Amino acid sequence: MSDTPSQPRHIPADLPARIQHYIDGSFTDSVDGDTFDVLDPVTNEAYLQAAAGKKADIDRAVAAARTAFTEGPWPRMLPRERSRVLHRIADLVESRDARLAELESFDSGLPITQALGQARRAAENFRFFADLIVAQTDDAFQVPGRQMNYVNRKPIGVAGLITPWNTPFMLESWKLGPALATGNTVVLKPAEFTPLSASLWAGIFEEAGLPKGVFNLVNGLGEDAGDALVKHPDVPLISFTGESSTGKLIFGNAAPFLKGLSMELGGKSPAVVFADADLDAAIDATIFGVFSLNGERCTAGSRILVERAVYDEFVERYAAQAQRVIVGDPQDPKTEVGALVHPEHYDKVMSYIEIGRTEGRLVAGGGRPDGFPTGNYVAPTVFADVSPDARIFQEEIFGPVVAITPFDTDEEALALANNTKYGLAAYVWTNDLKRAHTFAQSIEAGMVWLNSNNVRDLRTPFGGVKASGLGHEGGYRSIDFYTDQQAVHITLGAAHNPTFGKGA
């Protein structure tokens, strides 16, 4: 449903007119003075200008980060000392969660209540890694009486972090937390659609006591700033979250330098609903799973596969509930779906809806909701009877659009679930314990939730298979990615060497 705004658009107080890069502890314009417009997704009008970084700006940022790594105190601090700084960062983020959410919602179109939840998750990310590095233990192995071996963990250097425009502040924290916790320095390149909340990191880090040069931020387009960061010879690590097509470019551009890569890419995740499932819970979860965060989420269950015995009931109830989802101003606490991030993305999503009209049966939504003549608003849209060869079944739409497809057997459900190039997440709804576990283990996905929506445990690996990613982050996997593990071997007693060169 639409919820026609009853009052004028809320504009956050003290919005900046421009944002700059942050390099070596100072805010700075681009070397060439170039800027780009940042749009309000509700009006599609430019409300600020951001410095447009190029290779020269990336060079400055990497040089600052490299100096901070080789000469500064941060990599040489004890884990407990770095942990204290990270906890202060978490405290500051928590204390400013309302302001962070307000700016994030305004900049991205994300509903304010969901933006607030993401701000709190950002604080928790820092707190988690602050605790983890203090509790971190590394392997030691011994051969009794002969040899001792242990692992020495070391930060790698300058980490290049490239983040997306969906829930940007939280996803930035997901990379910044472990990169900084392990003693690296960083250059962050936030998404050009949503740079506003990223500009707040500098003040938070300064107040928390992060040394100068450890954190650097360069705004700009992916083909300029992002490309220069990936190709910089003094950046040994790249962590990227974004589209699979961009991930392929990064993979190719990083290859000549043999960089470490962690890439969380696109998804077209299945939600499989068996006839014995709790339909009330499954419908609530799958509605939330595709329409929360405006549908702009990589783990969205955007393909719902339903056993035929309950298919008609499921489709009818799902479509009716989707029509009751409240579309509204992102800053209104009642809003459940806000405005999509940018007119380019809005056009993409709308084009898929038009394709869907020829590939499935439209049962809810289908375009711009009533009462919203302007802005990037899309009504929650549901297509039923979608064939597995349809584009809306196969391709990532990244908006409030879902495809529902029936199945008859477990084998058919599994074939449908695995029938895309993606493999990020999957959701299985059944009360059959044996089926739940065997089915989950057969799905080609990096993460599976049984009788649950996307509930994260930060200790577990996060990542996908196939076109959905390369590597995993989360918990110790993040520690592994951001550190080198050096094996040290110690001989106990006499050296056990073969003797060469003493023969007659």
Side-chain angles (χ1 to χ4, degrees), residues 61-139:
V62 172
R66 181 67 185 164
T67 298
F69 183 78
T70 58
E71 302 176 15
W74 187 249
R76 282 157 280 282
M77 286 183 179
L78 293 174
R80 174 64 72 186
E81 295 175 314
R82 290 200 299 269
S83 176
R84 290 192 183 102
V85 176
L86 265 65
H87 273 297
R88 287 197 291 270
I89 292 168
D91 291 340
L92 289 167
V93 171
E94 281 183 349
S95 71
R96 300 173 188 178
D97 58 0
R99 174 65 172 172
L100 286 165
E102 180 185 38
L103 295 181
E104 187 97 305
S105 175
F106 184 84
D107 193 34
S108 69
L110 193 67
I112 185 67
T113 54
Q114 296 170 44
L116 184 61
Q118 297 300 314
R120 291 169 179 167
R121 281 188 63 189
E124 180 58 27
N125 286 337
F126 273 93
R127 209 171 296 289
F128 174 83
F129 286 107
D131 291 338
L132 188 61
I133 57 166
V134 174
Q136 171 75 38
T137 59
D138 290 312
D139 293 328

Side-chain angles (χ1 to χ4, degrees), residues 108-111 113-115 117-118 121 164-168 170-171 241-244 264-271 284-303 318 336-337 339-341 345 348-349 395-402 422-427 447 449 452-457 462 468:
S108 69
L110 193 67
T113 54
Q114 296 170 44
Q118 297 300 314
R121 281 188 63 189
W165 46 255
N166 60 314
T167 63
M170 190 282 291
L171 288 174
T241 299
E243 291 183 328
S244 299
E264 193 262 287
L265 306 176
K268 192 69 177 177
S269 301
D284 282 345
T286 50
I287 287 278
F288 179 84
V290 75
F291 298 132
S292 60
L293 308 181
N294 299 343
E296 298 165 327
R297 56 185 305 165
C298 52
T299 54
S302 54
R303 293 182 298 135
Y318 191 94
E336 295 169 328
V337 171
L340 299 190
V341 67
H345 186 59
K348 172 192 170 183
V349 173
E395 299 176 17
E396 185 176 41
I397 300 172
F398 218 66
V401 182
V402 66
Y422 297 105
L424 187 57
Y427 308 86
M447 299 165 287
W449 279 269
S452 168
N453 67 46
N454 184 337
V455 180
R456 286 283 292 122
D457 183 329
F462 188 99
S468 287

Side-chain angles (χ1 to χ4, degrees), residues 24-25 60-77 155 157-158 180 183-186 210-216:
D24 201 21
R60 291 165 60 210
V62 172
R66 181 67 185 164
T67 298
F69 183 78
T70 58
E71 302 176 15
W74 187 249
R76 282 157 280 282
M77 286 183 179
V158 179
L180 296 174
N184 297 280
T185 59
V186 303
L210 193 71
K212 185 179 77 167
V214 172
F215 168 75
N216 303 273

